[in-house]
Amino acid sequence: DQQVKQNSPSLSVQEGRISILNCDYTNSMFDYFLWYKKYPAEGPTFLISISSIKDKNEDGRFTVFLNKSAKHLSLHIVPSQPGDSAVYFCAGGAGNNRKLIWGLGTSLAVNP
Amino acid sequence: DVKVTQSSRYLVKRTGEKVFLECVQDMDHENMFWYRQDPGLGLRLIYFSYDVKMKEKGDIPEGYSVSREKKERFSLILESASTNQTSMYLCASRAPGGIYGYTFGSGTRLTVV
């Protein structure tokens, strides 16, 4: 049973346009969500987070939106750059639970 | 700058060999994790440890064991390597509580031939 779902395995976007990566979850107990970015042959790096009491968090070109009623969050990248080409993972966490629950990832390709 | 260091970036081992993957963190974190990443399967948790000498099985512990003798070091052991253990292995550590995420190492690409 996948508690965090990233239904699009891949996404292709033109440079300068908006990239929207989606994530759905089933566990209402999540207190926060995280987005990680992963380049090939490297470990994932933290990108942005959002608490479940917020509906938006922005950091530069990256904005995460949370819709709790729909159990849906999305990561917006504006404007997209070729260096953003990577696999993006969404993860949910709850309270003091040590483990994060991960989606399967979305591979983003930003074309020049 | 906080760091998680995995001892090898690339490893090639033979079927049946015992393989040790080492991970060291310098953040004094209690929680450490071993994942493997395979295309289309995301990040799958193998084992994690929430304190020295403490460990818990993750989602796919079969064929693996772990050791945590010191807080900063968490080792993953493949008792008898098999070709289906060819994968990218990722170590991570995390501070307890809060909205803190994981800090990952650079990964070890293990090929079992």
Side-chain angles (χ1 to χ4, degrees):
Chain A
D1 175 35
Q2 261 206 290
Q3 298 182 49
V4 176
K5 297 179 184 179
Q6 295 178 256
N7 291 317
S8 298
S10 63
L11 177 67
S12 183
V13 170
Q14 278 303 116
E15 181 179 4
R17 298 288 185 101
I18 184 171
S19 295
I20 300 176
L21 294 96
N22 293 305
C23 182
D24 296 299
Y25 63 96
T26 58
N27 188 343
S28 302
M29 302 301 290
F30 287 136
D31 292 320
Y32 56 91
F33 300 90
L34 306 160
W35 284 93
Y36 276 76
K37 174 179 175 180
K38 186 183 183 300
Y39 293 119
E42 292 184 17
T45 53
F46 171 74
L47 194 56
I48 193 168
S49 63
I50 188 165
S51 165
S52 62
I53 63 173
K54 305 272 188 184
D55 55 20
K56 179 182 174 181
N57 188 26
E58 192 171 352
D59 183 1
R61 296 186 297 114
F62 302 92
T63 304
V64 57
F65 295 92
L66 175 62
N67 182 333
K68 284 188 72 174
S69 60
K71 292 192 174 73
H72 176 83
L73 62 155
S74 59
L75 174 68
H76 292 212
I77 306 173
V78 185
S80 301
Q81 300 173 354
D84 296 329
S85 298
V87 177
Y88 290 78
F89 290 99
C90 167
N96 244 345
N97 193 322
R98 300 174 182 97
K99 294 192 297 182
L100 294 175
I101 307 299
W102 297 86
L104 295 185
T106 297
S107 179
L108 173 66
V110 180
N111 306 307
Chain B
D1 198 13
V2 296
K3 233 178 163 182
V4 175
T5 303
Q6 293 183 232
S7 54
S8 305
R9 291 298 299 272
Y10 299 94
L11 274 180
V12 180
K13 296 291 181 181
R14 295 196 179 276
T15 301
E17 274 193 77
K18 192 168 186 175
V19 181
F20 293 85
L21 302 183
E22 305 287 346
C23 176
V24 176
Q25 52 100 357
D26 64 0
M27 296 165 283
D28 203 36
H29 285 169
E30 282 83 1
N31 302 318
M32 295 187 74
F33 306 82
W34 274 106
Y35 284 88
R36 62 180 281 179
Q37 187 210 359
D38 301 287
L41 298 178
L43 301 172
R44 293 185 292 168
L45 181 63
I46 305 171
Y47 266 98
F48 67 102
S49 168
Y50 49 90
D51 204 348
V52 175
K53 297 191 187 294
M54 307 299 281
K55 61 186 179 185
E56 279 194 31
K57 292 180 180 179
D59 301 317
I60 52 163
E62 297 77 19
Y64 302 95
S65 62
V66 290
S67 172
R68 186 131 181 237
E69 297 296 319
K70 293 184 178 181
K71 192 175 186 180
E72 67 270 18
R73 187 179 296 272
F74 190 35
S75 303
L76 180 68
I77 304 155
L78 285 67
E79 299 292 342
S80 177
S82 63
T83 54
N84 63 12
Q85 292 178 309
T86 292
S87 186
M88 167 71 98
Y89 288 89
L90 294 161
C91 175
S93 74
R94 183 185 188 205
I99 198 168
Y100 306 110
Y102 295 5
T103 301
F104 282 89
S106 298
T108 297
R109 166 61 68 182
L110 173 67
T111 301
V112 182
V113 297

